[in-house]
Amino acid sequence: MALIGLVVLVGAHWGWSVRDIRYSAGGPSLPLPPPSTIAVALLSGAIIHKKIPEIIVLPKKKQFYSSWIAIEALVAASAGLRRGGIVLARDPTKYLNIPYIRPENRRDISQWFSLQGFGLVYAPLAEICLASCYDTRVLEKYGIYEEDVRANLFSVTRIGSREGLVSILSTEIVGCSLVESTGRESSILYGSRGAYEHKTRLLEAEYWYPKDPIAFSATRIGKALYPEKKVQVEIPVSEYSSRNVIIAPDSPCPLKSGFKIAEFERETVCGKIIPLVFMEE
């Protein structure tokens, strides 16, 4: 397996909103983007550059959004706070319900509107490290080569929804390999629960399994509407952090030995490893 690692350091303009896939209007925002969001964000420029249509047809006439290319090639992805801090909040939003309520209830004015708590992450001047590792054989199957990725890596403009604008501070492309941790590695990126030594504060979070095709299918798969499998992660943060006010760690957190990691050929602005938060089934 030939692997390629992408590392992008971004600065948030105001913050972002990346909520659980089950929510539409309300719901809290995740503290850091999940692996699927990172994987697609770092490859979206190359996919668009190659003029790949929004919906692609795979074997057995299955239709998927083109973002599935990044997921199919994904080996590892993670994020971490490099500088500054973030605040988890909810923005009260008034929603118009008329298109969604039963015709017989539309005469009832009290049902026309509702109030939702829209989850947000405020991150003024925070620096966030995004890192992914991909299988180049999968990318080349779709006509995407390293030069395409390199030329379009500066196309990352947002985290999550289009309102979550970011500015790119630096980008790197490096070789990557899958190895087992020796206990001498450390990282600021989140990893699977139990992978880190508790020598710094760790914040727990739950993400959906990133390789589930349900989330990227343009047609319904069976009765499932969204991925049900979850992955539990730990995020290195400062000891002064709380559940809703999260500050970047003072130093990388050491990993335990015997844990699967994606290791870069050289040190990057985000370190030298990506702790794996999922494995192929």
Side-chain angles (χ1 to χ4, degrees), residues 176-241:
C176 196
S177 59
L178 288 178
V179 298
E180 212 171 72
S181 62
T182 62
R184 296 190 294 270
E185 299 85 1
S186 59
S187 179
I188 63 170
L189 307 176
Y190 61 71
S192 289
R193 182 180 294 175
Y196 279 112
E197 297 285 357
H198 285 249
K199 293 185 177 181
T200 186
R201 187 182 175 93
L202 295 168
L203 177 71
E204 293 187 352
E206 182 181 74
Y207 295 145
W208 55 88
Y209 178 68
K211 302 278 279 188
D212 194 325
I214 291 173
F216 300 89
S217 175
T219 55
R220 187 170 176 177
I221 301 177
K223 296 182 179 180
L225 297 176
Y226 50 81
E228 295 183 356
K229 183 180 177 182
K230 303 292 184 178
V231 290
Q232 311 295 326
V233 306
E234 291 177 330
I235 306 170
V237 298
S238 166
E239 62 178 319
Y240 300 108
S241 299

Short mmCIF file of all heavy atoms in Angstrom, two decimals, residues 176-241:
data_model
loop_
_atom_site.label_atom_id
_atom_site.label_comp_id
_atom_site.label_asym_id
_atom_site.label_seq_id
_atom_site.Cartn_x
_atom_site.Cartn_y
_atom_site.Cartn_z
N CYS A 176 4.03 8.47 3.97
CA CYS A 176 3.39 8.00 5.19
C CYS A 176 3.42 6.48 5.23
O CYS A 176 3.43 5.82 4.19
CB CYS A 176 1.94 8.50 5.20
SG CYS A 176 1.12 8.42 6.78
N SER A 177 3.46 5.90 6.42
CA SER A 177 3.44 4.45 6.57
C SER A 177 2.70 4.08 7.85
O SER A 177 2.64 4.86 8.80
CB SER A 177 4.85 3.88 6.60
OG SER A 177 5.60 4.44 7.67
N LEU A 178 2.11 2.88 7.86
CA LEU A 178 1.41 2.38 9.03
C LEU A 178 2.38 1.58 9.90
O LEU A 178 3.00 0.64 9.43
CB LEU A 178 0.24 1.51 8.62
CG LEU A 178 -0.98 2.21 8.01
CD1 LEU A 178 -2.04 1.19 7.62
CD2 LEU A 178 -1.56 3.25 8.95
N VAL A 179 2.50 1.98 11.15
CA VAL A 179 3.40 1.30 12.08
C VAL A 179 2.71 1.16 13.43
O VAL A 179 1.59 1.64 13.63
CB VAL A 179 4.73 2.08 12.24
CG1 VAL A 179 5.47 2.17 10.92
CG2 VAL A 179 4.48 3.47 12.81
N GLU A 180 3.41 0.52 14.36
CA GLU A 180 2.91 0.37 15.72
C GLU A 180 3.69 1.31 16.63
O GLU A 180 4.90 1.42 16.52
CB GLU A 180 3.08 -1.08 16.17
CG GLU A 180 2.01 -1.55 17.14
CD GLU A 180 2.08 -3.04 17.40
OE1 GLU A 180 3.03 -3.46 18.10
OE2 GLU A 180 1.23 -3.77 16.88
N SER A 181 2.98 2.00 17.51
CA SER A 181 3.65 2.94 18.41
C SER A 181 4.57 2.21 19.38
O SER A 181 4.31 1.07 19.78
CB SER A 181 2.62 3.76 19.19
OG SER A 181 1.82 2.93 19.99
N THR A 182 5.67 2.87 19.74
CA THR A 182 6.66 2.27 20.65
C THR A 182 6.57 2.85 22.06
O THR A 182 7.29 2.39 22.95
CB THR A 182 8.07 2.53 20.10
OG1 THR A 182 8.31 3.94 20.06
CG2 THR A 182 8.22 1.95 18.69
N GLY A 183 5.72 3.87 22.24
CA GLY A 183 5.64 4.54 23.54
C GLY A 183 6.49 5.78 23.60
O GLY A 183 6.47 6.51 24.59
N ARG A 184 7.25 6.06 22.53
CA ARG A 184 8.08 7.27 22.49
C ARG A 184 7.43 8.37 21.66
O ARG A 184 7.94 9.48 21.59
CB ARG A 184 9.46 6.94 21.91
CG ARG A 184 10.28 5.98 22.76
CD ARG A 184 11.71 5.89 22.27
NE ARG A 184 11.76 5.28 20.93
CZ ARG A 184 11.89 3.97 20.72
NH1 ARG A 184 11.94 3.13 21.74
NH2 ARG A 184 11.93 3.49 19.49
N GLU A 185 6.29 8.06 21.01
CA GLU A 185 5.62 9.04 20.16
C GLU A 185 4.68 9.92 20.99
O GLU A 185 4.24 9.54 22.08
CB GLU A 185 4.81 8.34 19.06
CG GLU A 185 5.65 7.49 18.11
CD GLU A 185 5.89 6.10 18.64
OE1 GLU A 185 5.39 5.78 19.75
OE2 GLU A 185 6.57 5.31 17.94
N SER A 186 4.39 11.10 20.46
CA SER A 186 3.43 12.00 21.10
C SER A 186 2.73 12.82 20.02
O SER A 186 3.23 12.93 18.90
CB SER A 186 4.13 12.93 22.09
OG SER A 186 5.12 13.70 21.45
N SER A 187 1.58 13.39 20.36
CA SER A 187 0.81 14.11 19.35
C SER A 187 -0.15 15.09 20.01
O SER A 187 -0.54 14.92 21.17
CB SER A 187 0.04 13.13 18.47
OG SER A 187 -0.74 13.81 17.50
N ILE A 188 -0.54 16.11 19.24
CA ILE A 188 -1.60 17.03 19.68
C ILE A 188 -2.93 16.65 19.04
O ILE A 188 -3.96 17.23 19.34
CB ILE A 188 -1.28 18.50 19.32
CG1 ILE A 188 -1.18 18.67 17.79
CG2 ILE A 188 -0.02 18.97 20.01
CD1 ILE A 188 -1.10 20.12 17.35
N LEU A 189 -2.91 15.65 18.14
CA LEU A 189 -4.11 15.23 17.42
C LEU A 189 -4.91 14.22 18.24
O LEU A 189 -4.34 13.45 19.00
CB LEU A 189 -3.72 14.61 16.08
CG LEU A 189 -2.81 15.43 15.17
CD1 LEU A 189 -2.45 14.61 13.93
CD2 LEU A 189 -3.47 16.74 14.78
N TYR A 190 -6.22 14.22 18.07
CA TYR A 190 -7.01 13.27 18.83
C TYR A 190 -6.78 11.85 18.33
O TYR A 190 -6.46 11.60 17.17
CB TYR A 190 -8.50 13.64 18.83
CG TYR A 190 -9.20 13.69 17.48
CD1 TYR A 190 -9.48 12.55 16.75
CD2 TYR A 190 -9.65 14.91 16.96
CE1 TYR A 190 -10.16 12.59 15.55
CE2 TYR A 190 -10.33 14.97 15.75
CZ TYR A 190 -10.58 13.81 15.05
OH TYR A 190 -11.25 13.86 13.85
N GLY A 191 -6.94 10.88 19.24
CA GLY A 191 -6.76 9.47 18.93
C GLY A 191 -7.80 8.63 19.63
O GLY A 191 -8.61 9.14 20.41
N SER A 192 -7.79 7.34 19.36
CA SER A 192 -8.78 6.44 19.97
C SER A 192 -8.69 6.47 21.49
O SER A 192 -7.60 6.64 22.06
CB SER A 192 -8.55 5.01 19.48
OG SER A 192 -8.92 4.88 18.13
N ARG A 193 -9.81 6.27 22.13
CA ARG A 193 -9.85 6.24 23.59
C ARG A 193 -8.94 5.12 24.10
O ARG A 193 -8.97 4.00 23.61
CB ARG A 193 -11.27 6.01 24.08
CG ARG A 193 -11.39 6.01 25.60
CD ARG A 193 -12.82 5.79 26.02
NE ARG A 193 -13.67 6.89 25.62
CZ ARG A 193 -15.00 6.90 25.79
NH1 ARG A 193 -15.61 5.84 26.31
NH2 ARG A 193 -15.71 7.94 25.41
N GLY A 194 -8.08 5.46 25.04
CA GLY A 194 -7.16 4.49 25.61
C GLY A 194 -5.79 4.50 24.97
O GLY A 194 -4.88 3.79 25.43
N ALA A 195 -5.60 5.29 23.90
CA ALA A 195 -4.31 5.30 23.22
C ALA A 195 -3.28 6.19 23.90
O ALA A 195 -2.08 5.98 23.75
CB ALA A 195 -4.49 5.74 21.76
N TYR A 196 -3.74 7.18 24.65
CA TYR A 196 -2.83 8.16 25.24
C TYR A 196 -2.50 7.84 26.69
O TYR A 196 -3.32 7.30 27.44
CB TYR A 196 -3.45 9.56 25.18
CG TYR A 196 -3.31 10.26 23.85
CD1 TYR A 196 -4.41 10.51 23.05
CD2 TYR A 196 -2.06 10.66 23.40
CE1 TYR A 196 -4.29 11.16 21.83
CE2 TYR A 196 -1.91 11.31 22.19
CZ TYR A 196 -3.03 11.55 21.41
OH TYR A 196 -2.89 12.19 20.21
N GLU A 197 -1.28 8.19 27.06
CA GLU A 197 -0.90 8.20 28.48
C GLU A 197 -1.55 9.43 29.12
O GLU A 197 -1.58 10.51 28.53
CB GLU A 197 0.62 8.31 28.63
CG GLU A 197 1.40 7.13 28.05
CD GLU A 197 1.32 5.89 28.92
OE1 GLU A 197 0.70 5.97 30.01
OE2 GLU A 197 1.85 4.84 28.50
N HIS A 198 -2.09 9.26 30.31
CA HIS A 198 -2.79 10.38 30.95
C HIS A 198 -1.80 11.29 31.67
O HIS A 198 -1.86 11.47 32.88
CB HIS A 198 -3.87 9.85 31.90
CG HIS A 198 -5.07 9.32 31.19
ND1 HIS A 198 -6.30 9.94 31.22
CD2 HIS A 198 -5.23 8.24 30.38
CE1 HIS A 198 -7.17 9.26 30.48
NE2 HIS A 198 -6.53 8.22 29.98
N LYS A 199 -0.90 11.90 30.86
CA LYS A 199 0.07 12.84 31.42
C LYS A 199 -0.33 14.28 31.13
O LYS A 199 0.36 15.22 31.48
CB LYS A 199 1.46 12.55 30.86
CG LYS A 199 2.00 11.20 31.33
CD LYS A 199 3.43 10.98 30.87
CE LYS A 199 3.96 9.65 31.41
NZ LYS A 199 5.35 9.39 31.01
N THR A 200 -1.45 14.46 30.44
CA THR A 200 -2.04 15.76 30.21
C THR A 200 -3.55 15.56 30.19
O THR A 200 -4.04 14.43 30.15
CB THR A 200 -1.56 16.37 28.87
OG1 THR A 200 -2.06 17.71 28.75
CG2 THR A 200 -2.07 15.56 27.69
N ARG A 201 -4.28 16.63 30.26
CA ARG A 201 -5.75 16.51 30.27
C ARG A 201 -6.25 16.01 28.91
O ARG A 201 -5.77 16.43 27.86
CB ARG A 201 -6.39 17.86 30.59
CG ARG A 201 -7.89 17.79 30.79
CD ARG A 201 -8.45 19.17 31.07
NE ARG A 201 -9.90 19.16 31.14
CZ ARG A 201 -10.60 19.02 32.24
NH1 ARG A 201 -9.97 18.88 33.40
NH2 ARG A 201 -11.92 19.03 32.24
N LEU A 202 -7.22 15.09 28.93
CA LEU A 202 -7.79 14.54 27.71
C LEU A 202 -9.30 14.73 27.74
O LEU A 202 -9.96 14.42 28.73
CB LEU A 202 -7.48 13.04 27.59
CG LEU A 202 -5.99 12.68 27.43
CD1 LEU A 202 -5.79 11.18 27.63
CD2 LEU A 202 -5.47 13.12 26.08
N LEU A 203 -9.82 15.29 26.65
CA LEU A 203 -11.26 15.50 26.53
C LEU A 203 -11.85 14.39 25.67
O LEU A 203 -11.33 14.10 24.60
CB LEU A 203 -11.53 16.86 25.87
CG LEU A 203 -12.99 17.20 25.59
CD1 LEU A 203 -13.72 17.47 26.91
CD2 LEU A 203 -13.11 18.41 24.67
N GLU A 204 -12.91 13.75 26.14
CA GLU A 204 -13.52 12.66 25.39
C GLU A 204 -14.58 13.19 24.44
O GLU A 204 -15.30 14.16 24.74
CB GLU A 204 -14.16 11.65 26.35
CG GLU A 204 -13.13 10.89 27.19
CD GLU A 204 -13.76 9.77 27.99
OE1 GLU A 204 -15.01 9.69 28.02
OE2 GLU A 204 -13.01 8.98 28.59
N ALA A 205 -14.68 12.56 23.27
CA ALA A 205 -15.69 12.91 22.28
C ALA A 205 -16.10 11.66 21.52
O ALA A 205 -15.37 10.65 21.53
CB ALA A 205 -15.15 13.98 21.31
N GLU A 206 -17.25 11.72 20.86
CA GLU A 206 -17.76 10.59 20.09
C GLU A 206 -18.02 11.04 18.66
O GLU A 206 -18.72 12.03 18.43
CB GLU A 206 -19.05 10.06 20.72
CG GLU A 206 -19.63 8.85 20.01
CD GLU A 206 -20.93 8.38 20.64
OE1 GLU A 206 -21.96 9.07 20.45
OE2 GLU A 206 -20.91 7.34 21.33
N TYR A 207 -17.45 10.31 17.70
CA TYR A 207 -17.66 10.59 16.28
C TYR A 207 -18.28 9.37 15.62
O TYR A 207 -18.22 8.26 16.15
CB TYR A 207 -16.34 10.93 15.58
CG TYR A 207 -15.69 12.21 16.07
CD1 TYR A 207 -14.30 12.32 16.15
CD2 TYR A 207 -16.45 13.31 16.44
CE1 TYR A 207 -13.70 13.49 16.59
CE2 TYR A 207 -15.85 14.48 16.87
CZ TYR A 207 -14.48 14.57 16.95
OH TYR A 207 -13.90 15.73 17.37
N TRP A 208 -18.85 9.57 14.44
CA TRP A 208 -19.37 8.43 13.69
C TRP A 208 -18.24 7.76 12.91
O TRP A 208 -17.24 8.39 12.57
CB TRP A 208 -20.49 8.85 12.75
CG TRP A 208 -20.11 9.95 11.79
CD1 TRP A 208 -19.53 9.82 10.56
CD2 TRP A 208 -20.28 11.36 11.99
NE1 TRP A 208 -19.32 11.05 9.98
CE2 TRP A 208 -19.79 12.01 10.85
CE3 TRP A 208 -20.81 12.13 13.05
CZ2 TRP A 208 -19.80 13.39 10.71
CZ3 TRP A 208 -20.82 13.51 12.90
CH2 TRP A 208 -20.32 14.11 11.75
N TYR A 209 -18.41 6.47 12.65
CA TYR A 209 -17.42 5.71 11.90
C TYR A 209 -17.30 6.31 10.50
O TYR A 209 -18.28 6.35 9.75
CB TYR A 209 -17.85 4.25 11.83
CG TYR A 209 -16.93 3.36 11.04
CD1 TYR A 209 -15.65 3.07 11.50
CD2 TYR A 209 -17.33 2.79 9.83
CE1 TYR A 209 -14.81 2.24 10.78
CE2 TYR A 209 -16.49 1.95 9.11
CZ TYR A 209 -15.23 1.70 9.59
OH TYR A 209 -14.37 0.88 8.88
N PRO A 210 -16.12 6.80 10.11
CA PRO A 210 -15.99 7.60 8.88
C PRO A 210 -16.13 6.82 7.58
O PRO A 210 -16.45 7.41 6.54
CB PRO A 210 -14.59 8.20 9.01
CG PRO A 210 -13.84 7.24 9.86
CD PRO A 210 -14.84 6.70 10.84
N LYS A 211 -15.91 5.51 7.61
CA LYS A 211 -15.91 4.74 6.36
C LYS A 211 -17.27 4.13 6.02
O LYS A 211 -17.38 3.35 5.09
CB LYS A 211 -14.87 3.63 6.43
CG LYS A 211 -13.44 4.11 6.70
CD LYS A 211 -12.75 4.59 5.44
CE LYS A 211 -12.21 3.45 4.63
NZ LYS A 211 -11.37 3.90 3.50
N ASP A 212 -18.30 4.49 6.75
CA ASP A 212 -19.63 3.95 6.47
C ASP A 212 -20.19 4.61 5.21
O ASP A 212 -20.36 5.83 5.16
CB ASP A 212 -20.56 4.22 7.66
CG ASP A 212 -21.83 3.41 7.59
OD1 ASP A 212 -22.33 3.18 6.47
OD2 ASP A 212 -22.33 3.00 8.65
N PRO A 213 -20.49 3.84 4.16
CA PRO A 213 -20.96 4.42 2.90
C PRO A 213 -22.33 5.07 2.99
O PRO A 213 -22.70 5.85 2.11
CB PRO A 213 -20.98 3.22 1.95
CG PRO A 213 -21.12 2.03 2.83
CD PRO A 213 -20.38 2.37 4.09
N ILE A 214 -23.08 4.79 4.04
CA ILE A 214 -24.42 5.35 4.17
C ILE A 214 -24.40 6.87 4.11
O ILE A 214 -25.26 7.51 3.50
CB ILE A 214 -25.08 4.87 5.49
CG1 ILE A 214 -25.38 3.38 5.41
CG2 ILE A 214 -26.35 5.65 5.80
CD1 ILE A 214 -25.86 2.79 6.71
N ALA A 215 -23.40 7.47 4.73
CA ALA A 215 -23.33 8.93 4.81
C ALA A 215 -23.01 9.58 3.47
O ALA A 215 -23.17 10.80 3.32
CB ALA A 215 -22.28 9.35 5.85
N PHE A 216 -22.54 8.80 2.49
CA PHE A 216 -22.11 9.38 1.22
C PHE A 216 -22.91 8.85 0.03
O PHE A 216 -22.62 9.20 -1.11
CB PHE A 216 -20.62 9.08 1.01
CG PHE A 216 -19.76 9.65 2.10
CD1 PHE A 216 -19.48 8.92 3.25
CD2 PHE A 216 -19.25 10.93 2.01
CE1 PHE A 216 -18.70 9.45 4.26
CE2 PHE A 216 -18.49 11.47 3.02
CZ PHE A 216 -18.21 10.72 4.15
N SER A 217 -23.89 8.05 0.30
CA SER A 217 -24.69 7.47 -0.78
C SER A 217 -25.72 8.47 -1.28
O SER A 217 -26.39 9.16 -0.49
CB SER A 217 -25.40 6.20 -0.29
OG SER A 217 -26.27 5.71 -1.28
N ALA A 218 -25.85 8.58 -2.59
CA ALA A 218 -26.86 9.46 -3.20
C ALA A 218 -28.22 8.78 -3.25
O ALA A 218 -29.21 9.40 -3.60
CB ALA A 218 -26.42 9.87 -4.60
N THR A 219 -28.26 7.50 -2.92
CA THR A 219 -29.52 6.76 -2.83
C THR A 219 -29.56 6.05 -1.49
O THR A 219 -28.53 5.75 -0.89
CB THR A 219 -29.64 5.73 -3.97
OG1 THR A 219 -28.49 4.87 -3.95
CG2 THR A 219 -29.72 6.43 -5.33
N ARG A 220 -30.74 5.75 -1.03
CA ARG A 220 -30.89 5.11 0.27
C ARG A 220 -30.35 3.69 0.25
O ARG A 220 -30.59 2.94 -0.70
CB ARG A 220 -32.36 5.12 0.68
CG ARG A 220 -32.61 4.63 2.09
CD ARG A 220 -34.03 4.89 2.49
NE ARG A 220 -34.32 4.35 3.81
CZ ARG A 220 -35.49 4.50 4.43
NH1 ARG A 220 -36.44 5.18 3.85
NH2 ARG A 220 -35.69 3.97 5.63
N ILE A 221 -29.60 3.31 1.29
CA ILE A 221 -29.08 1.95 1.41
C ILE A 221 -29.88 1.22 2.48
O ILE A 221 -29.73 1.48 3.68
CB ILE A 221 -27.58 1.96 1.80
CG1 ILE A 221 -26.76 2.71 0.73
CG2 ILE A 221 -27.06 0.56 1.97
CD1 ILE A 221 -25.29 2.81 1.07
N GLY A 222 -30.77 0.32 2.03
CA GLY A 222 -31.59 -0.40 2.99
C GLY A 222 -32.48 0.54 3.79
O GLY A 222 -33.00 1.51 3.27
N LYS A 223 -32.61 0.27 5.08
CA LYS A 223 -33.45 1.11 5.94
C LYS A 223 -32.63 2.12 6.74
O LYS A 223 -33.20 2.97 7.42
CB LYS A 223 -34.23 0.22 6.91
CG LYS A 223 -35.23 -0.72 6.21
CD LYS A 223 -36.00 -1.54 7.24
CE LYS A 223 -37.00 -2.45 6.55
NZ LYS A 223 -37.78 -3.26 7.52
N ALA A 224 -31.31 2.05 6.64
CA ALA A 224 -30.46 2.94 7.43
C ALA A 224 -30.47 4.35 6.84
O ALA A 224 -30.47 4.54 5.62
CB ALA A 224 -29.05 2.41 7.47
N LEU A 225 -30.48 5.35 7.70
CA LEU A 225 -30.46 6.75 7.27
C LEU A 225 -29.13 7.42 7.57
O LEU A 225 -28.78 8.41 6.93
CB LEU A 225 -31.60 7.52 7.96
CG LEU A 225 -33.02 7.08 7.62
CD1 LEU A 225 -34.02 7.87 8.45
CD2 LEU A 225 -33.30 7.25 6.14
N TYR A 226 -28.41 6.91 8.55
CA TYR A 226 -27.14 7.50 8.95
C TYR A 226 -26.30 6.41 9.63
O TYR A 226 -26.82 5.39 10.08
CB TYR A 226 -27.35 8.69 9.90
CG TYR A 226 -28.27 8.39 11.06
CD1 TYR A 226 -27.79 7.73 12.19
CD2 TYR A 226 -29.60 8.76 11.03
CE1 TYR A 226 -28.61 7.45 13.26
CE2 TYR A 226 -30.44 8.47 12.10
CZ TYR A 226 -29.95 7.82 13.21
OH TYR A 226 -30.77 7.54 14.27
N PRO A 227 -24.97 6.64 9.69
CA PRO A 227 -24.10 5.62 10.32
C PRO A 227 -24.46 5.42 11.79
O PRO A 227 -24.66 6.38 12.52
CB PRO A 227 -22.70 6.24 10.18
CG PRO A 227 -22.81 7.21 9.07
CD PRO A 227 -24.20 7.75 9.14
N GLU A 228 -24.57 4.18 12.18
CA GLU A 228 -24.89 3.87 13.57
C GLU A 228 -23.64 3.57 14.39
O GLU A 228 -23.64 3.75 15.61
CB GLU A 228 -25.85 2.68 13.63
CG GLU A 228 -27.22 2.98 13.00
CD GLU A 228 -28.18 1.83 13.14
OE1 GLU A 228 -27.76 0.77 13.65
OE2 GLU A 228 -29.35 1.97 12.73
N LYS A 229 -22.58 3.11 13.73
CA LYS A 229 -21.36 2.78 14.45
C LYS A 229 -20.62 4.05 14.87
O LYS A 229 -20.52 5.00 14.09
CB LYS A 229 -20.45 1.91 13.58
CG LYS A 229 -19.17 1.46 14.28
CD LYS A 229 -18.31 0.60 13.37
CE LYS A 229 -17.01 0.22 14.05
NZ LYS A 229 -16.14 -0.58 13.17
N LYS A 230 -20.12 4.05 16.09
CA LYS A 230 -19.42 5.22 16.63
C LYS A 230 -17.98 4.88 16.95
O LYS A 230 -17.62 3.72 17.17
CB LYS A 230 -20.11 5.71 17.91
CG LYS A 230 -21.58 6.07 17.74
CD LYS A 230 -21.75 7.30 16.88
CE LYS A 230 -23.22 7.69 16.79
NZ LYS A 230 -23.42 8.91 15.99
N VAL A 231 -17.14 5.92 16.99
CA VAL A 231 -15.75 5.77 17.45
C VAL A 231 -15.54 6.76 18.60
O VAL A 231 -15.98 7.90 18.54
CB VAL A 231 -14.73 6.03 16.32
CG1 VAL A 231 -14.76 4.91 15.31
CG2 VAL A 231 -14.99 7.37 15.62
N GLN A 232 -14.91 6.28 19.65
CA GLN A 232 -14.64 7.09 20.83
C GLN A 232 -13.21 7.63 20.75
O GLN A 232 -12.28 6.88 20.50
CB GLN A 232 -14.81 6.26 22.11
CG GLN A 232 -16.11 5.48 22.17
CD GLN A 232 -17.33 6.37 22.23
OE1 GLN A 232 -17.30 7.44 22.83
NE2 GLN A 232 -18.41 5.93 21.61
N VAL A 233 -13.05 8.94 20.97
CA VAL A 233 -11.73 9.55 20.85
C VAL A 233 -11.39 10.34 22.10
O VAL A 233 -12.26 10.69 22.90
CB VAL A 233 -11.64 10.47 19.61
CG1 VAL A 233 -12.03 9.72 18.35
CG2 VAL A 233 -12.48 11.73 19.79
N GLU A 234 -10.09 10.60 22.25
CA GLU A 234 -9.57 11.47 23.31
C GLU A 234 -8.78 12.59 22.66
O GLU A 234 -7.94 12.36 21.79
CB GLU A 234 -8.69 10.68 24.27
CG GLU A 234 -9.47 9.67 25.10
CD GLU A 234 -8.56 8.84 26.00
OE1 GLU A 234 -7.40 8.61 25.62
OE2 GLU A 234 -9.03 8.41 27.07
N ILE A 235 -9.06 13.83 23.09
CA ILE A 235 -8.44 15.03 22.52
C ILE A 235 -7.48 15.63 23.54
O ILE A 235 -7.90 16.02 24.63
CB ILE A 235 -9.50 16.07 22.14
CG1 ILE A 235 -10.56 15.45 21.22
CG2 ILE A 235 -8.85 17.28 21.48
CD1 ILE A 235 -11.78 16.35 21.01
N PRO A 236 -6.17 15.73 23.22
CA PRO A 236 -5.25 16.40 24.14
C PRO A 236 -5.59 17.89 24.26
O PRO A 236 -5.72 18.59 23.24
CB PRO A 236 -3.88 16.20 23.47
CG PRO A 236 -4.06 15.03 22.56
CD PRO A 236 -5.47 15.13 22.06
N VAL A 237 -5.74 18.36 25.49
CA VAL A 237 -6.06 19.77 25.73
C VAL A 237 -5.26 20.25 26.94
O VAL A 237 -4.64 19.47 27.66
CB VAL A 237 -7.58 19.97 25.99
CG1 VAL A 237 -8.39 19.56 24.77
CG2 VAL A 237 -8.03 19.20 27.23
N SER A 238 -5.31 21.55 27.18
CA SER A 238 -4.64 22.13 28.34
C SER A 238 -5.35 21.71 29.62
O SER A 238 -6.56 21.48 29.63
CB SER A 238 -4.63 23.65 28.22
OG SER A 238 -4.28 24.26 29.46
N GLU A 239 -4.61 21.65 30.71
CA GLU A 239 -5.21 21.30 32.01
C GLU A 239 -6.19 22.36 32.48
O GLU A 239 -7.00 22.12 33.39
CB GLU A 239 -4.10 21.10 33.05
CG GLU A 239 -3.27 22.34 33.31
CD GLU A 239 -2.23 22.11 34.40
OE1 GLU A 239 -2.58 21.45 35.40
OE2 GLU A 239 -1.09 22.57 34.23
N TYR A 240 -6.16 23.54 31.88
CA TYR A 240 -7.06 24.61 32.26
C TYR A 240 -8.37 24.58 31.46
O TYR A 240 -9.20 25.47 31.60
CB TYR A 240 -6.38 25.97 32.08
CG TYR A 240 -5.13 26.12 32.90
CD1 TYR A 240 -3.88 26.10 32.31
CD2 TYR A 240 -5.20 26.25 34.30
CE1 TYR A 240 -2.72 26.21 33.06
CE2 TYR A 240 -4.05 26.35 35.06
CZ TYR A 240 -2.81 26.34 34.44
OH TYR A 240 -1.67 26.45 35.19
N SER A 241 -8.53 23.57 30.63
CA SER A 241 -9.73 23.45 29.82
C SER A 241 -10.89 22.93 30.65
O SER A 241 -10.71 22.25 31.66
CB SER A 241 -9.48 22.51 28.64
OG SER A 241 -8.46 22.99 27.80
#
